[in-house]
mmCIF file of all heavy atoms in Angstrom:
data_model
loop_
_atom_site.group_PDB
_atom_site.id
_atom_site.type_symbol
_atom_site.label_atom_id
_atom_site.label_comp_id
_atom_site.label_asym_id
_atom_site.label_seq_id
_atom_site.Cartn_x
_atom_site.Cartn_y
_atom_site.Cartn_z
ATOM 1 N N LEU U 116 8.239 -3.842 44.019
ATOM 2 C CA LEU U 116 7.568 -2.900 43.138
ATOM 3 C C LEU U 116 8.631 -2.178 42.241
ATOM 4 O O LEU U 116 8.541 -2.146 41.016
ATOM 5 C CB LEU U 116 6.790 -1.886 43.874
ATOM 6 C CG LEU U 116 6.192 -0.733 43.014
ATOM 7 C CD1 LEU U 116 5.195 -1.230 41.975
ATOM 8 C CD2 LEU U 116 5.581 0.363 43.930
ATOM 9 N N ARG U 117 9.662 -1.661 42.905
ATOM 10 C CA ARG U 117 10.640 -0.846 42.084
ATOM 11 C C ARG U 117 11.403 -1.795 41.211
ATOM 12 O O ARG U 117 11.682 -1.362 40.069
ATOM 13 C CB ARG U 117 11.618 -0.214 43.140
ATOM 14 C CG ARG U 117 10.971 0.929 43.956
ATOM 15 C CD ARG U 117 11.947 1.327 45.105
ATOM 16 N NE ARG U 117 11.558 2.549 45.708
ATOM 17 C CZ ARG U 117 12.041 3.019 46.897
ATOM 18 N NH1 ARG U 117 12.867 2.236 47.575
ATOM 19 N NH2 ARG U 117 11.545 4.148 47.361
ATOM 20 N N LYS U 118 11.690 -2.986 41.610
ATOM 21 C CA LYS U 118 12.469 -3.898 40.722
ATOM 22 C C LYS U 118 11.630 -4.238 39.470
ATOM 23 O O LYS U 118 12.123 -4.151 38.370
ATOM 24 C CB LYS U 118 12.774 -5.165 41.461
ATOM 25 C CG LYS U 118 13.613 -6.165 40.746
ATOM 26 C CD LYS U 118 14.069 -7.361 41.633
ATOM 27 C CE LYS U 118 14.948 -8.273 40.991
ATOM 28 N NZ LYS U 118 14.319 -9.048 39.869
ATOM 29 N N THR U 119 10.321 -4.573 39.684
ATOM 30 C CA THR U 119 9.590 -4.941 38.484
ATOM 31 C C THR U 119 9.321 -3.755 37.531
ATOM 32 O O THR U 119 9.272 -3.952 36.338
ATOM 33 C CB THR U 119 8.242 -5.643 38.874
ATOM 34 O OG1 THR U 119 7.694 -6.230 37.748
ATOM 35 C CG2 THR U 119 7.203 -4.661 39.414
ATOM 36 N N MET U 120 9.123 -2.557 38.146
ATOM 37 C CA MET U 120 8.978 -1.342 37.290
ATOM 38 C C MET U 120 10.153 -1.076 36.458
ATOM 39 O O MET U 120 10.148 -0.736 35.299
ATOM 40 C CB MET U 120 8.599 -0.160 38.156
ATOM 41 C CG MET U 120 7.195 -0.239 38.695
ATOM 42 S SD MET U 120 5.882 -0.246 37.424
ATOM 43 C CE MET U 120 5.964 1.328 36.779
ATOM 44 N N TRP U 121 11.403 -1.203 37.185
ATOM 45 C CA TRP U 121 12.584 -0.914 36.367
ATOM 46 C C TRP U 121 12.876 -1.891 35.334
ATOM 47 O O TRP U 121 13.331 -1.555 34.210
ATOM 48 C CB TRP U 121 13.819 -0.860 37.423
ATOM 49 C CG TRP U 121 15.126 -0.541 36.757
ATOM 50 C CD1 TRP U 121 16.152 -1.409 36.524
ATOM 51 C CD2 TRP U 121 15.486 0.744 36.361
ATOM 52 N NE1 TRP U 121 17.165 -0.779 35.908
ATOM 53 C CE2 TRP U 121 16.855 0.553 35.822
ATOM 54 C CE3 TRP U 121 14.957 2.007 36.349
ATOM 55 C CZ2 TRP U 121 17.567 1.651 35.274
ATOM 56 C CZ3 TRP U 121 15.701 3.061 35.852
ATOM 57 C CH2 TRP U 121 17.025 2.914 35.295
ATOM 58 N N GLU U 122 12.617 -3.160 35.592
ATOM 59 C CA GLU U 122 12.878 -4.208 34.568
ATOM 60 C C GLU U 122 11.896 -4.326 33.536
ATOM 61 O O GLU U 122 12.177 -4.719 32.392
ATOM 62 C CB GLU U 122 13.072 -5.574 35.362
ATOM 63 C CG GLU U 122 14.240 -5.624 36.326
ATOM 64 C CD GLU U 122 14.264 -7.023 37.065
ATOM 65 O OE1 GLU U 122 13.247 -7.760 36.942
ATOM 66 O OE2 GLU U 122 15.272 -7.252 37.712
ATOM 67 N N ASN U 123 10.627 -4.034 33.754
ATOM 68 C CA ASN U 123 9.525 -4.257 32.846
ATOM 69 C C ASN U 123 8.800 -3.034 32.349
ATOM 70 O O ASN U 123 7.988 -3.158 31.410
ATOM 71 C CB ASN U 123 8.530 -5.224 33.501
ATOM 72 C CG ASN U 123 9.093 -6.568 33.898
ATOM 73 O OD1 ASN U 123 9.657 -7.292 33.035
ATOM 74 N ND2 ASN U 123 9.007 -6.928 35.193
ATOM 75 N N ALA U 124 8.961 -1.905 32.939
ATOM 76 C CA ALA U 124 8.284 -0.663 32.451
ATOM 77 C C ALA U 124 9.267 0.484 32.437
ATOM 78 O O ALA U 124 8.917 1.615 32.686
ATOM 79 C CB ALA U 124 7.083 -0.322 33.411
ATOM 80 N N GLY U 125 10.494 0.176 31.955
ATOM 81 C CA GLY U 125 11.510 1.132 31.918
ATOM 82 C C GLY U 125 11.712 1.825 30.602
ATOM 83 O O GLY U 125 10.752 2.165 29.973
ATOM 84 N N ILE U 126 12.855 1.994 30.143
ATOM 85 C CA ILE U 126 13.248 2.721 28.969
ATOM 86 C C ILE U 126 12.635 1.974 27.651
ATOM 87 O O ILE U 126 12.038 2.626 26.831
ATOM 88 C CB ILE U 126 14.768 2.890 28.696
ATOM 89 C CG1 ILE U 126 15.207 3.883 29.906
ATOM 90 C CG2 ILE U 126 15.033 3.569 27.503
ATOM 91 C CD1 ILE U 126 16.770 3.988 29.834
ATOM 92 N N PHE U 127 12.923 0.696 27.638
ATOM 93 C CA PHE U 127 12.378 -0.127 26.532
ATOM 94 C C PHE U 127 11.266 -1.074 27.109
ATOM 95 O O PHE U 127 11.486 -1.751 28.058
ATOM 96 C CB PHE U 127 13.517 -0.951 25.914
ATOM 97 C CG PHE U 127 14.624 -0.100 25.346
ATOM 98 C CD1 PHE U 127 15.948 -0.132 25.922
ATOM 99 C CD2 PHE U 127 14.402 0.644 24.239
ATOM 100 C CE1 PHE U 127 16.933 0.606 25.428
ATOM 101 C CE2 PHE U 127 15.453 1.437 23.746
ATOM 102 C CZ PHE U 127 16.658 1.412 24.284
ATOM 103 N N ARG U 128 10.122 -1.044 26.407
ATOM 104 C CA ARG U 128 8.890 -1.791 26.888
ATOM 105 C C ARG U 128 8.450 -2.743 25.821
ATOM 106 O O ARG U 128 8.479 -2.517 24.681
ATOM 107 C CB ARG U 128 7.881 -0.735 27.336
ATOM 108 C CG ARG U 128 8.312 0.185 28.407
ATOM 109 C CD ARG U 128 7.356 1.420 28.537
ATOM 110 N NE ARG U 128 7.706 2.266 29.646
ATOM 111 C CZ ARG U 128 7.122 3.307 30.055
ATOM 112 N NH1 ARG U 128 6.090 3.846 29.240
ATOM 113 N NH2 ARG U 128 7.458 4.030 31.079
ATOM 114 N N THR U 129 7.773 -3.817 26.324
ATOM 115 C CA THR U 129 7.040 -4.789 25.496
ATOM 116 C C THR U 129 5.769 -5.125 26.238
ATOM 117 O O THR U 129 5.686 -4.957 27.441
ATOM 118 C CB THR U 129 7.911 -5.992 25.242
ATOM 119 O OG1 THR U 129 8.064 -6.761 26.536
ATOM 120 C CG2 THR U 129 9.257 -5.756 24.640
ATOM 121 N N LYS U 130 4.852 -5.631 25.435
ATOM 122 C CA LYS U 130 3.578 -6.048 26.107
ATOM 123 C C LYS U 130 3.846 -7.152 27.127
ATOM 124 O O LYS U 130 3.215 -7.110 28.205
ATOM 125 C CB LYS U 130 2.585 -6.597 24.985
ATOM 126 C CG LYS U 130 1.312 -7.025 25.551
ATOM 127 C CD LYS U 130 0.290 -7.430 24.426
ATOM 128 C CE LYS U 130 -1.076 -7.735 25.015
ATOM 129 N NZ LYS U 130 -1.973 -8.172 23.968
ATOM 130 N N GLU U 131 4.738 -8.065 26.741
ATOM 131 C CA GLU U 131 4.965 -9.148 27.648
ATOM 132 C C GLU U 131 5.564 -8.625 28.983
ATOM 133 O O GLU U 131 5.146 -9.064 30.110
ATOM 134 C CB GLU U 131 6.012 -10.147 27.021
ATOM 135 C CG GLU U 131 6.449 -11.389 27.913
ATOM 136 C CD GLU U 131 7.456 -12.187 27.354
ATOM 137 O OE1 GLU U 131 7.975 -11.884 26.214
ATOM 138 O OE2 GLU U 131 7.780 -13.304 27.882
ATOM 139 N N GLY U 132 6.472 -7.756 28.945
ATOM 140 C CA GLY U 132 7.116 -7.186 30.111
ATOM 141 C C GLY U 132 6.089 -6.317 30.921
ATOM 142 O O GLY U 132 6.087 -6.384 32.150
ATOM 143 N N LEU U 133 5.240 -5.588 30.301
ATOM 144 C CA LEU U 133 4.323 -4.716 30.960
ATOM 145 C C LEU U 133 3.276 -5.612 31.622
ATOM 146 O O LEU U 133 2.803 -5.186 32.783
ATOM 147 C CB LEU U 133 3.646 -3.729 30.040
ATOM 148 C CG LEU U 133 4.552 -2.617 29.363
ATOM 149 C CD1 LEU U 133 3.936 -1.964 28.181
ATOM 150 C CD2 LEU U 133 4.906 -1.694 30.496
ATOM 151 N N LEU U 134 2.811 -6.687 31.029
ATOM 152 C CA LEU U 134 1.923 -7.585 31.660
ATOM 153 C C LEU U 134 2.512 -8.264 32.893
ATOM 154 O O LEU U 134 1.816 -8.531 33.775
ATOM 155 C CB LEU U 134 1.394 -8.628 30.693
ATOM 156 C CG LEU U 134 0.443 -8.120 29.542
ATOM 157 C CD1 LEU U 134 0.158 -9.188 28.546
ATOM 158 C CD2 LEU U 134 -0.869 -7.632 30.214
ATOM 159 N N LYS U 135 3.862 -8.520 32.833
ATOM 160 C CA LYS U 135 4.532 -9.032 33.861
ATOM 161 C C LYS U 135 4.601 -8.063 35.006
ATOM 162 O O LYS U 135 4.260 -8.452 36.266
ATOM 163 C CB LYS U 135 5.943 -9.460 33.521
ATOM 164 C CG LYS U 135 6.883 -9.895 34.658
ATOM 165 C CD LYS U 135 6.521 -11.203 35.235
ATOM 166 C CE LYS U 135 7.610 -11.833 36.178
ATOM 167 N NZ LYS U 135 8.006 -11.026 37.310
ATOM 168 N N ALA U 136 4.837 -6.847 34.742
ATOM 169 C CA ALA U 136 4.747 -5.826 35.814
ATOM 170 C C ALA U 136 3.423 -5.693 36.391
ATOM 171 O O ALA U 136 3.296 -5.551 37.589
ATOM 172 C CB ALA U 136 5.274 -4.454 35.170
ATOM 173 N N LEU U 137 2.352 -5.703 35.561
ATOM 174 C CA LEU U 137 1.047 -5.556 36.083
ATOM 175 C C LEU U 137 0.692 -6.748 36.967
ATOM 176 O O LEU U 137 0.057 -6.604 38.045
ATOM 177 C CB LEU U 137 0.107 -5.477 34.872
ATOM 178 C CG LEU U 137 -1.370 -5.012 35.214
ATOM 179 C CD1 LEU U 137 -1.327 -3.620 35.821
ATOM 180 C CD2 LEU U 137 -2.222 -5.086 33.946
ATOM 181 N N SER U 138 1.112 -7.892 36.533
ATOM 182 C CA SER U 138 0.797 -9.081 37.384
ATOM 183 C C SER U 138 1.529 -9.007 38.830
ATOM 184 O O SER U 138 0.991 -9.317 39.810
ATOM 185 C CB SER U 138 1.350 -10.373 36.668
ATOM 186 O OG SER U 138 1.198 -11.483 37.515
ATOM 187 N N ASP U 139 2.779 -8.560 38.678
ATOM 188 C CA ASP U 139 3.582 -8.322 39.966
ATOM 189 C C ASP U 139 2.886 -7.384 40.853
ATOM 190 O O ASP U 139 2.822 -7.607 42.071
ATOM 191 C CB ASP U 139 5.007 -7.904 39.580
ATOM 192 C CG ASP U 139 5.827 -9.027 39.019
ATOM 193 O OD1 ASP U 139 5.467 -10.249 39.059
ATOM 194 O OD2 ASP U 139 6.897 -8.685 38.400
ATOM 195 N N ILE U 140 2.468 -6.251 40.273
ATOM 196 C CA ILE U 140 1.830 -5.210 41.088
ATOM 197 C C ILE U 140 0.559 -5.663 41.711
ATOM 198 O O ILE U 140 0.268 -5.398 42.902
ATOM 199 C CB ILE U 140 1.525 -3.894 40.210
ATOM 200 C CG1 ILE U 140 2.826 -3.272 39.748
ATOM 201 C CG2 ILE U 140 0.734 -2.908 40.940
ATOM 202 C CD1 ILE U 140 2.628 -2.286 38.656
ATOM 203 N N GLU U 141 -0.270 -6.446 40.994
ATOM 204 C CA GLU U 141 -1.480 -6.972 41.518
ATOM 205 C C GLU U 141 -1.240 -7.912 42.700
ATOM 206 O O GLU U 141 -1.874 -7.939 43.751
ATOM 207 C CB GLU U 141 -2.280 -7.646 40.435
ATOM 208 C CG GLU U 141 -2.979 -6.730 39.401
ATOM 209 C CD GLU U 141 -3.773 -5.590 40.013
ATOM 210 O OE1 GLU U 141 -4.618 -5.924 40.864
ATOM 211 O OE2 GLU U 141 -3.591 -4.434 39.601
#
């Protein structure tokens, strides 16, 4: 969880990255 949040929902965000984080969380 921590890894995907840091990589995909950190300082700089994109829709692609956020959707990746959401998929990982689910």
Side-chain angles (χ1 to χ4, degrees):
L116 169 65
R117 288 170 169 166
K118 184 174 185 290
T119 194
M120 288 299 291
W121 183 255
E122 293 178 352
N123 299 303
I126 297 175
F127 299 113
R128 300 164 173 177
T129 64
K130 182 176 182 179
E131 180 183 5
L133 293 167
L134 289 173
K135 173 67 166 59
L137 193 62
S138 175
D139 289 343
I140 294 168
E141 291 304 315

